[in-house]
Amino acid sequence: MSATVLTRPAPAAPAAPHPRRTRVLALPEARWAAAATVAFLAALAVHLPGGPAWAYGPLYAVAYLAGGWEPAWAGLRALRGRTLDVDLLMVVAALGAAAIGQVLDGALLIVIFATSGALEALATARTADSVRGLLDLAPATACRFTADGREETVPTAELAVGDTVLIRPGERIGADGLVLDGRSDVDQATITGEPLPAAKAPGDEVYAGTLNGAGALRVRVGRDAADTVIARIVALVEEASETKAPTQLFIEKVEQRYAAGLVAATLLLFAVPLAFGAELTGTLLRAMTFMIVASPCAVVLATMPPLLSAIANAGRHGVLVKSAVVMERLGQVDAAALDKTGTLTEGTPRVTELRPSAGLTEDELLALAAAAEHPSEHPLARAVVAAARERGLAVPAAADFVSTPGVGVRAVVGDAVIAVGAPGPHRAHPQVVELEEAGRTAAVVLRDGEPVGVLGLADRPREQAAAAVRGLAALTGRPPVLLTGDNPRAAARLAREVGLTDVRGGLLPQDKVAAVRQLADGGRRVLMVGDGVNDAPALAAAHSGIALGRAGSDLALETADAVVVRDELTVVPAVVALSRRARRLVVQNLVIAGAFITALVVWDLAGTLPLPLGVAGHEGSTVLVGLNGLRLLRERAWQRALENE
């Protein structure tokens, strides 16, 4: 491609797309609630001035039907499944009020109940909107280069891995990929939350939905449209939204027994006074009011809104929490264990020393090691292969490749079996000792079982490693534990840089599991953070596991309970803090719901609670609890979590 193609003028930057926002009347619950409200107000306008019953009666009937048919039908279906739906009790109470001549009060109950349901549906839809709106950030079309170098405009959904696309100045990027040519600043705030644009040059990664700056970029597509960072966030958050936390499951289990007891108590409250000669209308009205105010609607709604809001907010900031169960459990952790390579460090080590022996030159040693490591995905293996390429070495082909997590690799190169990996029994080798004392990671190269050299590799800690360690220490009350397969000296050197004191080096995968279980046996709920295949068993054994997603292995990503998409370590303590805040809101909601139910029930039993006031108190508490949980959708909630408040 000519340079002129990459630098030709572009149209003005398009305005950021408006996020998807569900219109109120797009929800059927809102339309039915609106119809019920209009019919009720029309009936009220005729009824209050003393109009005839034939005029306002049909209007009240419309209000009853519009606002009550849906919960009534859902309740009857639940009865067929031998479960008692609390919503059905509200409809029964309204019909009971109408049966004793309190038509207006019953219609008011239906209208408030329908409006409350519409508000809950709208809140749920807006929660989903906040995440799905990310999809609108990706442009609908992209400029793709054909095989003969021509440009063609295609839908972004049709882009395939390996395609090359042109991103002009001011355009939104249509796919995740790597920059092949050009330089620019890219606004990644929608994905990474960075306040300033990030400089992009050949070899850098870019994300769909981010905004290109003044330069032009040629990008090779690295992921299908369904696998982009944005798409993965949306898919996993929507999956998580379908799950239920243990607290919610317990509430729903108790709800059935509570509802049955509520019906029995209502019947007793109606039958016993009648048996002693009480007046029918007043007794039935008190019983209906009791059934309304004692219904656990607010209790049922107390748990999921805070947890789902927290999941959605974390997803917007690149942390994919896989379920409401996970979001609830993350807030319970009181100890943390961290992997080293690829987690606390950048995961892109460099070969810094070559110590050949057995008559080999440095280049020969490096070529043998690169041949054996070439099929491996481990960061150290990639560093060895990269070093060989930088020197322009011819890397021979390898066969019968075998990788053992925590140990190393083995392959047949030429006529010899080449192994590259942890020092193991060769740790006392003088060259190994020298490299490890210098804080390097030593990898021994064996040919047919005999050492032929040692490689020294070094990795840099992530910029946010120390801050993440401090954040986790503040949340758990103790510094995290460093669990690594690397040599103890290199691990200790990193620990000093990031502020860790408990360092356990030279661990195999099973040793990491044992360390996690040792902490758990001491009464700790352990959070494990890792990225590699060798971390997967520990991630599974921990109370909660978080994997770094950009360079993490597939096994680690599948095993972990949550995934950090952009490998930003500071979001790990942030999501723990967000989970704790969600748990606090759940407790707040349960207290609010319990206080309202208790106060209204006592008022009804000890005094005379007007039905309209009981309805308003019951439905008001339900709406209040729902809106309280949705506070975690706000950007301020995430900022407070980053500050570990």
Side-chain angles (χ1 to χ4, degrees):
M1 312 298 168
S2 65
T4 55
V5 173
L6 288 176
T7 57
R8 70 188 193 185
H18 293 289
R20 301 180 186 185
R21 191 173 178 84
T22 300
R23 292 180 295 107
V24 175
L25 292 180
L27 298 171
E29 295 90 345
R31 292 196 297 270
W32 288 116
T37 301
V38 169
F40 174 75
L41 293 176
L44 209 60
V46 178
H47 187 189
L48 291 182
W54 61 263
Y56 61 76
L59 293 172
Y60 279 133
V62 170
Y64 275 83
L65 287 172
W69 79 268
E70 201 168 27
W73 182 246
L76 291 174
R77 283 203 309 254
L79 278 179
R80 291 181 61 185
R82 297 188 177 183
T83 59
L84 186 59
D85 194 326
V86 174
D87 291 354
L88 182 61
L89 300 183
M90 296 295 100
V91 177
V92 170
L95 294 176
I100 58 173
Q102 303 290 330
V103 178
L104 189 154
D105 291 343
L108 178 62
L109 169 58
I110 287 290
V111 168
I112 294 178
F113 184 64
T115 303
S116 173
L119 288 174
E120 292 170 24
L122 181 62
T124 302
R126 291 285 166 82
T127 303
D129 290 344
S130 67
V131 177
R132 283 200 303 269
L134 287 172
L135 292 176
D136 290 330
L137 294 173
T141 61
C143 178
R144 180 173 66 185
F145 289 111
T146 62
D148 58 3
R150 292 183 299 103
E151 298 176 12
E152 62 176 356
T153 301
V154 297
T156 52
E158 294 182 7
L159 293 176
V161 175
D163 284 348
T164 300
V165 295
L166 174 64
I167 314 297
R168 296 187 175 91
E171 288 185 342
R172 286 195 174 268
I173 297 172
D176 290 3
L178 289 177
V179 177
L180 297 177
D181 192 14
R183 294 177 182 273
S184 185
D185 292 328
V186 176
D187 183 353
Q188 301 185 146
T190 54
I191 298 295
T192 66
E194 298 170 270
L196 298 176
K200 297 295 179 180
D204 290 336
E205 189 172 12
V206 293
Y207 305 107
T210 54
L211 183 63
N212 188 25
L217 300 173
R218 186 151 44 101
V219 174
R220 183 176 65 238
V221 177
R223 298 187 185 96
D224 290 330
D227 295 326
T228 62
V229 170
I230 286 178
R232 288 166 62 196
I233 290 173
V234 172
L236 283 178
V237 172
E238 288 182 339
E239 281 181 26
S241 298
E242 298 298 321
T243 64
K244 293 180 180 179
T247 303
Q248 179 69 13
L249 293 173
F250 174 76
I251 289 173
E252 291 183 1
K253 182 178 179 181
V254 172
E255 178 194 5
Q256 289 301 306
R257 297 177 183 176
Y258 181 90
L262 177 60
V263 171
T266 301
L267 292 175
L268 286 174
L269 193 60
F270 175 63
V272 172
L274 278 183
F276 287 92
E279 186 256 335
L280 174 63
T281 300
T283 302
L284 181 58
L285 194 58
R286 182 188 296 271
M288 291 296 101
T289 304
F290 171 81
M291 186 166 68
I292 293 167
V293 299
S295 294
C297 299
V299 174
V300 172
L301 199 62
T303 303
M304 293 309 291
L307 294 174
L308 295 183
S309 297
I311 289 172
N313 203 338
R316 289 205 309 270
H317 293 89
V319 185
L320 308 184
V321 180
K322 294 184 178 180
S323 70
V325 176
V326 172
M327 180 54 77
E328 190 170 36
R329 287 170 65 87
L330 280 170
Q332 299 170 348
V333 299
D334 55 9
L338 305 174
D339 172 50
K340 174 181 172 286
T341 303
T343 302
L344 284 175
T345 65
E346 293 178 348
T348 53
R350 303 176 309 283
V351 176
T352 57
E353 281 92 10
L354 293 166
R355 305 291 177 86
S357 58
L360 294 181
T361 66
E362 288 189 356
D363 285 355
E364 289 171 339
L365 173 65
L366 184 57
L368 282 179
E373 293 276 26
H374 189 268
S376 175
E377 295 183 354
H378 195 280
L380 297 181
R382 290 196 290 266
V384 173
V385 175
R389 287 174 176 165
E390 287 174 4
R391 291 189 175 213
L393 301 181
V395 178
D400 300 330
F401 172 80
V402 177
S403 175
T404 304
V407 176
V409 302
R410 186 178 72 253
V412 176
V413 181
D415 296 327
V417 176
I418 305 298
V420 185
H426 305 284
R427 192 170 293 280
H429 192 287
Q431 292 177 335
V432 171
V433 173
E434 181 184 349
L435 289 172
E436 290 188 347
E437 285 182 347
R440 302 290 187 262
T441 297
V444 176
V445 182
L446 307 176
R447 182 170 58 189
D448 294 327
E450 294 298 321
V452 294
V454 182
L455 309 180
L457 300 99
D459 197 1
R460 292 182 300 182
R462 295 182 186 274
E463 292 182 4
Q464 301 173 327
V469 167
R470 289 194 300 271
L472 287 171
L475 288 167
T476 61
R478 56 182 290 175
V481 179
L482 179 61
L483 305 179
T484 177
D486 208 345
N487 74 79
R489 296 181 185 90
R493 180 183 179 187
L494 173 73
R496 288 193 297 271
E497 292 184 42
V498 300
L500 293 172
T501 55
D502 190 346
V503 183
R504 308 182 191 187
L507 303 182
L508 295 173
Q510 58 267 32
D511 300 325
K512 291 186 178 183
V513 173
V516 168
R517 287 178 176 163
Q518 180 186 23
L519 290 170
D521 290 342
R524 296 286 180 174
R525 294 186 176 95
V526 184
L527 169 67
M528 176 68 194
V529 185
D531 72 314
V533 172
N534 58 332
D535 299 319
L539 288 168
H543 178 81
S544 297
I546 297 179
L548 302 190
R550 180 178 295 174
S553 70
D554 290 343
L555 181 58
L557 299 183
E558 289 295 326
T559 306
D561 300 308
V563 176
V564 178
V565 175
R566 299 183 295 269
D567 293 2
E568 295 175 359
L569 278 179
T570 51
V571 303
V572 174
V575 76
V576 173
L578 189 66
S579 171
R580 292 188 177 181
R581 189 155 183 232
R583 288 167 57 84
R584 289 196 297 270
L585 284 185
V586 169
V587 174
Q588 284 181 19
N589 283 346
L590 291 173
V591 170
I592 291 170
F596 266 85
I597 290 174
T598 301
L600 293 173
V601 166
V602 169
W603 188 351
D604 183 57
L605 295 179
T608 302
L609 175 62
L611 179 61
L613 189 57
V615 170
H618 174 268
E619 298 302 329
S621 66
T622 303
V623 172
L624 178 62
V625 161
L627 294 178
N628 191 42
L630 295 179
R631 288 163 53 198
L632 292 187
L633 280 176
R634 298 181 302 177
E635 181 65 23
R636 176 59 183 157
W638 181 256
Q639 294 303 321
R640 291 185 60 184
L642 282 174
E643 297 163 5
N644 290 334
E645 292 185 9

